[in-house]
Amino acid sequence: MTADLEKTGPADAPPPGNDEPEAIKAIPVRHYGRWVSAVVVLALLGLLINAFAGANVNYHAIPDYLFNSNVLSGLGKTVLISVLSMALGLVLGVVLAVMRLSKNPVTSSVAWVYIWFFRGTPVYVQLLVWFNLALIFPEINLGFIYRDYMSSFMTPFMAALLGLGLNEAAYMSEIVRGGIQSVDEGQTEAAHALGMSQGRTLRRIVLPQAMRVIVPPTGNEFINMLKTSSLAAGAAQYLELLRSTSDIGQTTGATVEMLFLAAVWYLILTSVFSVGQYYLERYYARGALRSLPLTPFQKIKANLAGFGGRTKGGATA
Amino acid sequence: MTAMVKAEGVHKSYGAAHILKGIDLEVSRGEVFCLIGPSGSGKSTFLRCINHLEKINAGRLYVDGELVGYRQKGDKLYELKDSEVARNRRDIGMVFQRFNLFPHMTAVANVMEAPVQVKGESKAAARERAMALLERVGLADKAANYPSQLSGGQQQRVAIARALAMEPKLMLFDEPTSALDPELVGDVLDVMRGLAEEGMTMIVVTHEMGFAREVGDALVFMDDGVVVESGHPREVLTNPQHERTKSFLSKVL
């Protein structure tokens, strides 16, 4: 561009300003409504903050116990059980989804019954049953593979993992099934026409495309799982985040403060995983979009620029 | 020498809808065989029967002398296993009306996919051949692009390269230019013309009468699930014998 200009020289360049159309200089529309609603919302927010500031809460206790070793141990257990249960749910969910979509009436009905049962009963009940399984099966006997007393096999960890993971599998299988069905049938046909087998077509062609549809609800499920794992404390005596914080609350008398502390940690966890999810979605969007969506940082910049109607052309990443 | 494709009384129905009502035809080696006819006449369905994407209900269909989808022992017919069907499909390339490129892979990855995954070729060798094929369809510079970044005509040419990567003995084209903007049709037809000149056996379902007349060696006009008229393209297109053929051609030419 600049090289061209230099080559042609200033004599050939169009005379400045003459041919340029005059830019419109108009008074912009005033968005009075936006200002009024902003003031109302801020006022309500102020009242809420004021109420909590005046409440009988010992806020210092929260940072004091934020990195308490018991709290951190509970936090670690919450993350551990959530990740493992989610992994179990994901793997089993894919298997169940493929079973449900199979032409074999036995496998598809078995998958249907599984989903019907595990989705249809409260996860809290399932956790209680797993934890109390020793009452009906005193011994666990898997032939040559494994044999033990149920009470020593079904630790709080195992009960929480099975309760949360098997329940999650039922939900995940429906999400995966929706994802698989969202992929155009022409994709399967094209893969088959190239001589690819059913399994390879699923792994190489269908599932990678289904991921675009599967990831967002799975992120939702995972965030749900982080919070649902707190049920494992009550049902299966699993010492996760909520249990460790409320234990401190009971001994120190700072009950509500410790609940706030737990809430802070849950918020931090869900925020971190939301960011991870965002980048995962970006990864699976490749090929589906001509250009990748903005990163959160770029979005914030674009939103700030857009406030008050002063949109500046948007962020061209 | 046996025919590349031979159909004997092929019937196909979906429930009550009788789509193919006894198709008999023969496609010789190295021939460009054009199938024309109004939509719903069964020509696409017939094409999809040839690589067993659709199962036929009656009759016999042979590719390269072998029964499609079944094995005959004595007077009994045994259905082929999925893996056997897949193996037979390797030698038959197919190009779809809607391209059906894999959107999550770049152009070159689309072309490499089957040689690597199905034939077990090394990635380096497959990439080299894929690049040569893309070069041949005039898209070497688009190798790293995803399908969504290509025009329809470019996508269809990548799809042809993808089918050729399996080194098929027979190519099936299912209305390859029907979803394209008029100015993009020429590029795709040029690639197909080049293939024909190299002696590839091609069965082409098409509405491009110019292409059929110029490149085709044989032509069949189908209507309502039967072959109405067949012969050399120039004869059928310029001097149709049946009323139905005449009225169809008067509408499309």
Side-chain angles (χ1 to χ4, degrees):
Chain A
M1 188 72 188
T2 45
D4 275 351
L5 281 177
E6 275 163 26
K7 219 183 286 171
T8 53
D12 291 352
N18 272 5
D19 284 352
E20 286 279 307
E22 197 188 337
I24 290 176
K25 284 188 195 112
I27 293 142
V29 176
R30 305 288 178 202
H31 297 281
Y32 296 112
R34 291 188 194 178
W35 290 101
V36 172
S37 53
V39 167
V40 170
V41 169
L42 283 177
L44 289 173
L45 207 59
L47 287 174
L48 192 68
I49 291 171
N50 190 41
F52 269 89
N56 188 14
V57 178
N58 179 15
Y59 286 107
H60 294 295
I62 298 174
D64 284 353
Y65 281 94
L66 198 58
F67 299 106
N68 175 285
S69 64
N70 286 339
V71 172
L72 288 184
S73 138
L75 178 73
K77 283 187 170 170
T78 287
V79 173
L80 179 75
I81 199 69
S82 302
V83 169
L84 290 181
S85 303
M86 200 65 205
L88 179 63
L90 198 62
V91 172
L92 198 56
V94 172
V95 172
L96 284 166
V98 173
M99 281 172 72
R100 263 217 75 182
L101 291 171
S102 88
K103 286 178 197 139
N104 185 335
V106 175
T107 53
S108 76
S109 338
V110 166
W112 185 88
V113 169
Y114 181 99
I115 295 162
W116 170 77
F117 180 81
F118 280 90
R119 253 187 357 171
T121 53
V123 65
Y124 195 68
V125 172
Q126 290 170 30
L127 283 163
L128 283 169
V129 169
W130 285 113
F131 188 62
N132 292 305
L133 211 60
L135 298 179
I136 52 172
F137 298 111
E139 221 178 57
I140 178 168
N141 187 352
L142 303 177
F144 295 109
I145 313 165
Y146 188 85
R147 190 192 171 114
D148 203 346
Y149 288 112
M150 185 61 89
S151 51
S152 42
F153 169 76
M154 198 56 73
T155 57
F157 171 78
M158 282 307 288
L161 178 66
L162 288 171
L164 294 171
L166 297 189
N167 180 261
E168 187 56 39
Y171 288 92
M172 279 311 303
S173 80
E174 290 293 275
I175 291 172
V176 173
R177 186 169 66 96
I180 289 175
Q181 285 177 331
S182 78
V183 178
D184 180 32
E185 218 183 331
Q187 293 290 310
T188 310
E189 283 183 358
H192 283 174
L194 286 166
M196 290 173 82
S197 65
Q198 292 275 7
R200 211 178 283 274
T201 302
L202 184 70
R203 247 180 311 124
R204 296 283 311 171
I205 307 300
V206 176
L207 277 181
Q209 292 182 59
M211 286 307 277
R212 268 203 86 207
V213 178
I214 292 173
V215 169
T218 304
N220 237 351
E221 286 296 308
F222 186 73
I223 283 169
N224 245 332
M225 176 65 82
L226 280 170
K227 299 176 295 173
T228 312
S229 65
S230 59
L231 290 181
Q237 304 306 316
Y238 186 67
L239 302 177
E240 46 65 72
L241 180 60
L242 184 64
R243 167 58 65 92
S244 61
T245 49
S246 30
D247 280 355
I248 296 171
Q250 282 190 350
T251 50
T252 60
T255 314
V256 177
E257 288 83 348
M258 287 304 111
L259 290 177
F260 284 174
L261 169 57
V264 166
W265 269 122
Y266 281 117
L267 278 173
I268 292 172
L269 286 181
T270 52
S271 308
V272 168
F273 283 106
S274 301
V275 172
Q277 180 191 342
Y278 185 84
Y279 282 95
L280 199 61
E281 280 177 31
R282 241 170 95 88
Y283 173 76
Y284 281 111
R286 78 201 190 287
L289 307 168
R290 272 163 209 252
S291 56
L292 286 174
L294 304 178
T295 60
F297 181 68
Q298 290 168 325
K299 252 190 199 166
I300 289 167
K301 264 169 64 179
N303 280 342
L304 284 179
F307 189 72
R310 286 170 287 139
T311 21
K312 292 177 192 165
T316 45
Chain B
M1 203 150 78
T2 55
M4 182 58 88
V5 176
K6 190 173 178 199
E8 296 173 352
V10 169
H11 284 258
K12 171 73 191 172
S13 44
Y14 298 101
H18 204 164
I19 308 294
L20 299 178
K21 301 168 180 166
I23 302 288
D24 294 282
L25 54 78
E26 233 181 89
V27 181
S28 317
R29 276 161 213 284
E31 197 172 50
V32 176
F33 191 96
C34 298
L35 277 171
I36 63 168
S39 55
S41 59
K43 51 197 195 311
S44 285
T45 304
F46 178 70
L47 198 70
R48 293 158 58 81
C49 290
I50 294 174
N51 66 355
H52 210 48
L53 283 179
E54 305 287 351
K55 277 185 191 172
I56 62 175
N57 302 114
R60 294 283 189 275
L61 192 52
Y62 300 90
V63 171
D64 208 4
E66 279 186 50
L67 210 50
V68 173
Y70 302 93
R71 183 187 299 112
Q72 187 145 20
K73 266 189 191 164
D75 55 353
K76 273 192 183 149
L77 219 50
Y78 296 87
E79 215 173 328
L80 291 185
K81 284 187 274 185
D82 284 351
S83 59
E84 293 169 314
V85 172
R87 172 163 277 282
N88 289 338
R89 282 183 183 139
R90 290 183 189 187
D91 302 329
I92 306 174
M94 186 158 192
V95 175
F96 299 86
Q97 183 179 355
R98 303 284 332 163
F99 328 136
N100 295 355
L101 286 181
F102 306 133
H104 58 303
M105 298 179 184
T106 60
V108 68
N110 263 280
V111 181
M112 287 166 62
E113 180 67 12
V116 171
Q117 293 294 325
V118 179
K119 279 189 175 167
E121 243 175 71
S122 80
K123 278 198 177 170
R127 178 176 295 274
E128 201 172 308
R129 277 201 319 113
M131 286 308 298
L133 284 166
L134 286 176
E135 177 90 57
R136 173 171 169 186
V137 299
L139 290 171
D141 57 328
K142 301 286 182 193
N145 286 44
Y146 285 99
S148 63
Q149 297 163 327
L150 300 175
S151 74
Q154 291 170 336
Q155 288 191 52
Q156 193 61 297
R157 283 185 281 155
V158 173
I160 294 174
R162 177 176 70 176
L164 290 177
M166 290 300 279
E167 295 171 322
K169 58 189 175 192
L170 168 68
M171 285 283 285
L172 309 175
F173 290 88
D174 188 4
E175 302 196 23
T177 57
S178 296
L180 299 179
D181 289 342
E183 83 258 28
L184 302 175
V185 169
D187 291 339
V188 172
L189 292 182
D190 283 344
V191 171
M192 291 169 63
R193 194 172 291 127
L195 264 180
E197 278 162 14
E198 284 168 34
M200 174 66 78
T201 311
M202 297 159 64
I203 303 180
V204 186
V205 172
T206 188
H207 293 298
E208 295 291 331
M209 298 305 155
F211 176 83
R213 193 190 328 238
E214 190 193 329
V215 183
D217 300 305
L219 181 139
V220 154
F221 173 71
M222 276 176 71
D223 189 25
D224 200 22
V226 294
V227 172
V228 176
E229 190 164 350
S230 61
H232 195 275
R234 263 187 291 273
E235 278 164 33
V236 180
L237 292 176
T238 48
N239 188 19
Q241 298 302 309
H242 288 70
E243 276 311 310
R244 193 63 198 88
T245 320
K246 282 178 193 167
S247 80
F248 174 74
L249 290 175
S250 70
K251 281 176 201 152
V252 298
L253 284 176

